[in-house]
Every structure is written in C-alpha cells, then in structure tokens.
Amino acid sequence: MTPSAEPIVMDLQRKPNIHPATQAKGEALVSALAGQRTSVDSAAKYLSALPVPHRRVERWKHTAVSGFWADYSEPVVQTIEAAGCEACPVPGLHAYRIVFVNGTFDAEASDLPVHSGVRCEPLSMSSAGIEAEGNLESREWFAALNGAFAAEGMKLLVERGVVLDRPLLVHHHTHGANSANIMRHEIEVEENAQVQLIHWSTANEDASGMVNIMTRMQVASGGIVALDKVQDEAGAVHHLAFEQIKQAGSSQVRIHTGTIQGKWVRNDLNFELNGEGCDAVLNGFFLPKGREFVDNHTTVDHRAAHCTSSEQYMGILYDSSSGVFNGKVFVRPDAQQTNAYQQNGNILATDKATINAKPELEIYADDVKCSHGCTIGQFDEEALFYARSRGIGEAEAKAMLVHAFIGDVLEGFAVQEVRLEVEHRLATRHGWDTWNDTIENA
Amino acid sequence: MINIKELQASIGDTPILKSLNLEIKPGEVHAIMGPNGSGKSTLASVLAGREDYDITGGSVDFDGQDLLEMDATERARSGLFLAFQYPVEIPGVSNINFMRAAVNGKREHEGLEPIKGKDFLNLVKEKASLVELDGRLRNRSVNEGFSGGEKKRNEIFQMAMLEPRFAVLDETDSGLDIDALRIVANGVNAMRSPERSFLVITHYQRLLDYIVPDFVHILVDGKIVMSGDKELALKLEEEGYDWIKEDVSA
Ligand SMILES: Nc1ncnc2c1ncn2[C@@H]1O[C@H](COP(=O)(O)OP(=O)(O)O)[C@@H](O)[C@H]1O
Ligand SMILES: [Mg+2]
C-alpha cells in the first residue's frame, strides 16, 4: 500500500456486497419498523444502499445476525417499576441517573443532573437531527438502522471547564418479548470539561428482541471522559452497542466494557483521534457461558501526532459459548510519535468454546511505537494442580486464575462501586463463593 | 500413618512405578534416594493426587483412609502435603490470598469458620519467620520472580502454615546453597513431632546431614531395591549408585 492510502474501513463500499436473501430480511425489518414509528431520512436513505450484514462481509464474518429477523411488537411496559427492576442497579452508588425502559424515558425513575454548565435531557425533548454523512450511520447497516429509528436516548452537554460532581448512570432496561429497543445518546464534552459515565444494560428473564444503542461522543481539547459499560442482560436479547468517539487534542477518553451476561452481544467501538496529544483507553472483559455469543470490534484511528491508545480485552469462554475480538488500529501518515498498545487474551474453559481473534494494525507513519499481542489458551493445569495440592477446591482455584486474568481490566473501572457490583455479579453467576472476599483483602 | 502396598503407576503405556512398598509410621522420617528418572517425583505426584498417571495396581492407606480414592484437594485437606520439586508460578494471584484460601479450605474440612484476618496475619508472620521468608514475598504473586531458593523456602512456609500430618519433600534441597539449605532444614526440623511423618526425596546425601532420617530407601527403576538407616545414604554418597544396580541385577 502507498503511504497515502486511506484505511479500508473509511472507503465507501463501491460495489455493495449484498446477499439477496439477507437483504430482503433487512428490508422487511425496516418496513415493519417504519409502520410503527417515524424514521429520520438522513440516515434512512443509507439503509437501502448498504449491505445487510452477512458472513461474507469482513466485519461480520463470525457474527451471525439471523437473531434480528423477528416480529417486533410495540412494548407494553415503559417504566422500571412496571418492569419490576431496580432503577439503580448498583447499590450504594451516589450518581445522577437517566433510565430508559424498552427505549422509553422513565422520568419517575430518573434523577437528572442539576448542575450549572451541564445540560442533560432525553433526546426526544431536543430537536437534534442526525448527521449520517461521514459517520458510521452511512457505512454500517445496523448503525443506519439506529440513525433512522432511534427516537429516544440521552442528550448531554458538559460546558467548557465544567466537572460534573457525580457519575452519571444511564440505565437501559429491556422487558418482554420482541421489543425493538433502539436508542441514541449524543454527548458533547467541551474544552477541559470532565464527566464520568456509566452505561448499564439489564433485561428481564423473559425479555427478547433487539437492543441497538448508539453512543456518539465529541470531546473537545482537554476534555476527560470515563465510560464504564456493563452488560448484564438475562433473557434472549440481541444487543448491539456502537460507540463513535471523536477526540480533539489533549483529550482523554477511557471506555471499560464488562460483559457479564447476554445471549448475543456485539460491541463496536470507534475512536477517532483528531488532535495532538489525545489519549484513548479501551478495555474489556467477557465471560460468556452456555451458548452465549460476545463480539468486541474496535477501531482506533490515529489521525494526529503524539497520541496514545491502549487496549486490553480479556475473555474467558465457558461451555459452548463463542466470541469474536477484532482490534483495528490505523496510524495515518501524519500521526507521527503515535504510541499504540493492544492486548487480547482468551481462555477457552472447555473444548467446545471458540474464539475468533484478529488484531489488525495498519501503520502508515514511520516514527511510531505500536505493539500488540493475542493469546488463546486454556486454564493453566499446573497452577490448578498446585492450588489443589494446597487444599484449595478446583472451582475456587479456577476463580483465582480468572481474577488474575481479568484483574487489570476490573481495576480499570472508573467508578469503584461499579467494579464491586460487577465482581459481585460475576461471583454470583459463576458460583465463586469466596471470590469477593479474597480480592477485598488483596 | 501411610502404608503403600505394591503400588504400580504408568504414564500412557509406560510403567513408571513397579510394585512399590513403603510403610511410614507416625513421627518417622524416611528418605528416598535414587538416580534421575527412577520415579521419585512420580511417587510424590501419585501420592499428592496428580491425575496424569494411571494407577494400575496396589493400594495406599492413609490413616485408615483409601488415599487413591481421594482427589488432590481432599488429600491436602486431610493432612497430606507435597513440597514440589518445581514450585509453580501463578501470576496475578498473591501468595497471601493463595495461602488464605488454602488455610480456609482446611478449616472448612475440619468444620471451622474461616480464619479471621488478624489471626491469619499473625500466623503468616510466625511461620514466615521460621524459614526467614521476606515480607515482600508474601504479597507478591505466587512464586513469580522468586529465586530458586526463595521458591523452596516458600514451599516450607506453606507446609508450616498448613501443618500437615504427612509431608513429602521432593528434592527441596536441589539448587540451594548451604545457607538456604540450613534454613530449609531448620524449618523442617522445627516441625518434627511424634504425630507428623516426612518422606524426604533427595538426590544427594547432603540434606540428610541436616534432616536426619530414621530410614533410607533406594529407588531404582520404580522399585525400592534397598532399605537401611542413614549409613546407607553415606555409602551411596561414596560409592554412587552403580553397585546397587549391579547388586539388583545380580
Ligand atoms: N509427564 C510425563 N510424561 C512422560 N514421562 C514421564 C512424565 N513424568 C515422568 N516421566 C518419566 O518417568 C520416569 C520417572 O520420572 P521421575 O518420577 O520424574 O523421576 P525422578 O524424580 O526420580 O528423577 C522418567 O523416565 C521420566 O522420563
Ligand atoms: Mg524428580
């Protein structure tokens, strides 16, 4: 490739790679949704041109979307109380809160920030249009679907120099069968402003359908954002989460994604580092069980010099679960002195579990430091035997190895209460009785 | 304490232990010596419950219990301890959390509540001083970045923490300088008691100057071919293993 080459993902698809049967399914979904809600034309116009994802589209090679072709119905339940769920999933958390149930804003359950220099409101109350051109909405079918049909979400503005005094929790809850829970969050953080965000997704046992959440974030120079993302959805929900992060010079954004449970989850993170001296951190862990599926696709686009990005994704796959990790890092010709780090570690806990892992580095600048590592292995049998020979039970020995494996990522949650609750939920789900106790005293 | 009868073990199709007999009574210290590859570590692993081996014959009685029916965790909780020839590194798991889980495992087995944090730390302090284990090492990941000598001292520290009835030390002396050897031996000697037995596996007589055994056995090709008192170890040291091999094949 020549040094001036544009990264592949930036290319508009000249000849759309269309699979006719899948395309028809997508079109049927679009017309069904169009019958139920109004659509936004600027994004909707891309829906018919873009290929509906299928196995021969590179970004969807290992990610089956057939679970999305369902008959969606209008949700009945629209409040967290009616859904029988806690408004705040994190005990003891002192935070602002915005709650959405089946894509509807629940004012009663919310506790919006009242803070000078901060504007936080449901998207439906603002008149924001959507700019699809040049964004993911014009390149990715499911993102275009979001752009066309997301009628609700959060609109947040943190003005220049303002530091929000408490974390802001965004709670998405899905209830009931076949809901189409499509939401978009628009976040703008001005110069030197700071905010800690938590995105927490839950669903009832009998929930099914689609969750499609787009988070678009503009961070101006010197802005600092931490986003703790937790996915803990029971039921049979298919969860798509897109993040589009645009960073100006000297800004810092860290996103930690913890996937505790979910039948089908795809996280699609896209960072653009547009000014000098940006810092991006994206970490995650996933511990699927049963037949669950978790996909983390990440793109970090270094467009300016002197930026750093650091990425660590750790997965432990149990039973017959499967996972995908794809980490793209682009370093454009002007992005000299880039420092990019990527690590992806996977443990297959059984011989039925699978992972497809692919780091993709494309580097067009010459004075850069980029490193990446990818491992796929099993639990260390020697370590397990050593622990058992000391009288530690096999399950507990494994729990210790799990904690050692994802410990760094857990530590990285910005909000301490989030970390503790995540650890508690993991321990409960996996039956690690003494896990919390052990790490408390570490 | 432990009674091993006609024990046979193999890896795949290869027999390693070939009808091994050994009885150790409470309070006794037995030493096993033998050339490399004779099956010493295999015996230690089979006793500790490593599953890579097929037990093809024989029995092991541990104070009235059928040891071979128990899994590794149960054996440890019942009072068996193995000091590994090659202690395992576990990155990310702190030595202290590791030992707390071990101590609590044993307490659970005995129907006791988990140990209180303060009591545990006091216990650690007491036992660590026995083998002069540096405070820093207690908080580091299990064996990670430890020198050879530190790893072996950590094994004896763990033994002291767990107070087993029966301990197998697999070449705990190998790779130790004379000071470390003395420290390790002192730690073991401090634990000798009429209720506790040891099986000390070593390649060299040297260790037995410090941990004086009641009996010495020589293991060749998966069998004990000769037993005696500590004089046997001295004779071995002087004359090597060849005369035994000749003796046995004669
Ligand atoms: N995991 C293993 N796989 C294959 N062969 C083994 C394994 N462990 C031990 N052996 C073989 O068994 C024999 C005895 O080994 P070992 O018990 O380690 O001897 P020692 O401790 O007396 O030096 C050797 O021939 C060794 O090669
Ligand atoms: Mg050996």
Side-chain angles (χ1 to χ4, degrees):
Chain A
M1 259 200 217
T2 60
S4 62
E6 279 282 291
I8 295 162
V9 76
M10 302 299 148
D11 280 343
L12 283 176
Q13 218 125 19
R14 295 222 169 68
K15 245 196 283 160
N17 180 1
I18 279 171
H19 181 263
T22 308
Q23 202 71 19
K25 301 251 163 91
E27 275 162 22
L29 171 62
V30 169
S31 49
L33 287 175
Q36 294 170 2
R37 46 185 106 184
T38 53
S39 65
V40 178
D41 286 346
S42 59
K45 71 174 185 204
Y46 289 99
L47 279 171
S48 52
L50 288 168
V52 179
H54 55 87
R55 296 281 180 160
R56 282 168 50 224
V57 174
E58 184 60 28
R59 278 166 52 76
W60 297 86
K61 199 167 165 184
H62 304 289
T63 308
V65 299
S66 52
F68 285 89
W69 316 138
D71 287 327
Y72 295 99
S73 47
E74 285 295 330
V76 181
V77 167
Q78 299 189 329
T79 65
I80 203 86
E81 202 186 349
C85 175
E86 293 286 329
C88 179
V90 186
L93 178 69
H94 192 52
Y96 299 112
R97 193 167 65 231
I98 182 163
V99 179
F100 300 97
V101 177
N102 287 334
T104 303
F105 171 58
D106 183 349
E108 196 78 344
S110 298
D111 178 12
L112 298 183
V114 181
H115 192 286
S116 72
V118 175
R119 269 175 43 210
C120 178
E121 60 192 2
L123 197 69
S124 56
M125 293 184 188
S126 81
S127 55
I130 175 155
E131 212 178 281
E133 182 76 50
N135 289 315
L136 213 52
E137 287 81 355
S138 65
R139 298 195 300 271
E140 183 66 77
W141 190 83
F142 275 107
L145 187 76
N146 182 292
F149 291 107
E152 192 54 286
M154 174 181 74
K155 187 164 166 57
L156 174 70
L157 171 69
V158 186
E159 287 175 8
R160 195 187 176 97
V162 171
V163 178
L164 189 58
D165 59 343
R166 291 188 230 159
L168 169 55
L169 169 79
V170 185
H171 184 185
H172 317 111
H173 184 74
T174 306
H175 181 277
N178 293 321
S179 25
N181 191 347
I182 305 176
M183 271 177 295
R184 179 158 59 92
H185 305 310
E186 296 277 355
I187 296 161
E188 191 179 348
V189 176
E190 292 186 350
E191 285 82 1
N192 302 317
Q194 297 183 25
V195 61
Q196 283 187 340
L197 297 166
I198 302 161
H199 281 188
W200 199 294
S201 300
T202 56
N204 286 63
E205 283 292 341
D206 57 359
S208 66
M210 149 172 49
V211 175
N212 181 336
I213 301 171
M214 170 68 72
T215 301
R216 311 207 315 174
M217 195 189 290
Q218 297 254 21
V219 184
S221 66
I224 300 179
V225 180
L227 168 57
D228 289 348
K229 238 179 100 180
V230 178
Q231 298 163 327
D232 186 17
E233 290 170 318
V237 163
H238 286 62
H239 185 116
L240 268 164
F242 294 102
E243 273 87 22
Q244 296 188 77
I245 315 295
K246 298 190 180 187
Q247 291 186 237
S250 305
S251 62
Q252 298 172 31
V253 177
R254 357 175 3 114
I255 301 186
H256 276 70
T257 306
T259 306
I260 298 173
Q261 71 170 327
K263 179 188 163 77
W264 188 104
V265 177
R266 164 134 168 172
N267 292 298
D268 201 319
L269 279 72
N270 300 270
F271 278 76
E272 268 180 28
L273 309 184
N274 292 317
E276 294 198 0
C278 290
D279 183 33
V281 176
L282 44 164
N283 294 339
F285 68 80
F286 45 105
L287 284 80
K289 287 190 8 174
R291 302 186 59 80
E292 290 174 348
F293 170 80
V294 182
D295 173 354
N296 284 290
H297 260 69
T298 66
T299 302
V300 181
D301 188 3
H302 281 265
R303 294 163 164 245
H306 299 284
C307 295
T308 57
S309 65
S310 167
E311 176 168 11
Q312 189 183 13
Y313 274 80
M314 307 302 269
I316 302 173
L317 297 105
Y318 294 93
D319 306 329
S320 300
S321 65
S322 54
V324 176
F325 172 79
N326 184 292
K328 287 193 177 70
V329 176
F330 297 119
V331 181
R332 300 207 179 212
D334 291 338
Q336 297 295 356
Q337 310 277 313
T338 288
N339 197 335
Y341 170 82
Q342 183 187 91
Q343 171 65 29
N344 167 229
N346 303 284
I347 291 179
L348 300 177
T350 71
D351 53 13
K352 289 200 195 95
T354 58
I355 180 85
N356 279 288
K358 190 173 177 193
E360 287 183 65
L361 276 65
E362 290 186 32
I363 300 167
Y364 304 105
D366 46 21
D367 186 13
V368 300
K369 258 205 270 187
C370 296
S371 61
H372 71 98
C374 177
T375 61
I376 300 174
Q378 276 98 38
F379 279 115
D380 180 350
E381 287 297 332
E382 280 300 301
L384 285 177
F385 178 66
Y386 190 63
R388 291 168 63 217
S389 80
R390 272 37 180 163
I392 299 171
E394 173 143 20
E396 189 176 1
K398 278 190 177 161
M400 288 178 127
L401 295 187
V402 169
H403 188 255
F405 193 67
I406 63 171
D408 283 349
V409 176
L410 281 171
E411 289 295 317
F413 277 116
V415 180
Q416 165 90 349
E417 291 86 350
V418 168
R419 196 201 86 199
L420 292 175
E421 180 60 14
V422 165
E423 285 174 351
H424 173 71
R425 289 187 186 215
L426 283 174
T428 307
R429 176 162 212 239
H430 294 273
W432 302 325
D433 321 337
T434 54
W435 202 54
N436 276 311
D437 188 39
T438 309
I439 42 194
E440 278 307 285
N441 290 278
Chain B
M1 177 71 62
I2 195 149
N3 194 356
I4 304 170
K5 282 193 189 148
E6 295 176 9
L7 184 62
Q8 298 174 39
S10 50
I11 280 219
D13 291 337
T14 315
I16 316 264
L17 299 181
K18 301 165 183 173
S19 195
L20 187 143
N21 290 288
L22 181 64
E23 184 177 5
I24 303 178
K25 297 209 164 74
E28 290 178 351
V29 174
H30 289 234
I32 286 193
M33 301 181 73
N36 273 332
S38 58
K40 301 184 299 295
S41 291
T42 301
L43 173 62
S45 296
V46 165
L47 291 177
R50 193 188 276 275
E51 281 122 2
D52 307 350
Y53 302 90
D54 291 327
I55 311 297
T56 50
S59 65
V60 181
D61 177 277
F62 184 37
D63 277 342
Q65 287 180 285
D66 182 353
L67 189 79
L68 300 178
E69 280 299 306
M70 301 155 83
D71 71 21
T73 304
E74 285 178 305
R75 293 182 199 197
R77 290 181 177 182
S78 307
L80 184 144
F81 183 87
L82 167 62
F84 281 49
Q85 181 174 2
Y86 304 108
V88 180
E89 299 186 7
I90 315 183
V93 175
S94 80
N95 224 1
I96 200 111
N97 276 343
F98 184 73
M99 278 324 290
R100 213 168 67 119
V103 166
N104 282 336
K106 185 168 179 234
R107 290 175 67 92
E108 187 189 318
H109 184 76
E110 292 164 354
L112 298 172
E113 290 289 299
I115 191 165
K116 297 214 167 60
K118 193 159 161 272
D119 296 342
F120 177 72
L121 291 177
N122 286 336
L123 189 67
V124 166
K125 224 184 221 163
E126 179 198 329
K127 302 300 185 186
S129 69
L130 200 66
V131 287
E132 300 174 29
L133 192 73
D134 196 319
R136 275 180 311 119
L137 299 182
R138 297 177 220 155
N139 293 316
R140 289 241 298 268
S141 292
V142 178
N143 291 320
E144 194 184 35
F146 287 30
S147 70
E150 286 167 344
K151 283 182 181 167
K152 296 301 176 85
R153 273 192 276 162
N154 196 26
E155 293 292 287
I156 303 304
F157 161 70
Q158 294 182 5
M159 177 174 82
M161 289 291 293
L162 293 170
E163 302 186 319
R165 278 186 286 154
F166 173 53
V168 181
L169 312 185
D170 189 2
E171 297 209 27
T172 301
D173 53 332
S174 64
L176 294 188
D177 63 23
I178 198 75
D179 289 333
L181 185 68
R182 206 175 282 135
I183 291 169
V184 161
N186 285 344
V188 173
N189 286 330
M191 288 188 67
R192 284 180 79 156
S193 89
E195 290 83 41
R196 184 172 289 134
S197 312
F198 291 89
L199 179 60
V200 179
I201 295 172
T202 182
H203 197 64
Y204 303 103
Q205 188 271 338
R206 192 178 66 153
L207 177 69
L208 304 181
D209 285 340
Y210 296 92
I211 305 174
V212 182
D214 300 305
F215 299 95
V216 174
H217 310 278
I218 297 170
L219 186 71
V220 177
D221 192 24
K223 273 192 286 227
I224 289 180
V225 296
M226 197 172 286
S227 297
D229 60 12
K230 61 182 194 238
E231 299 304 321
L232 181 57
L234 287 172
K235 186 170 155 100
L236 265 185
E237 182 80 356
E238 274 160 33
E239 302 183 19
Y241 287 102
D242 289 348
W243 64 276
I244 293 172
K245 288 182 186 161
E246 279 158 27
D247 245 38
V248 172
S249 50

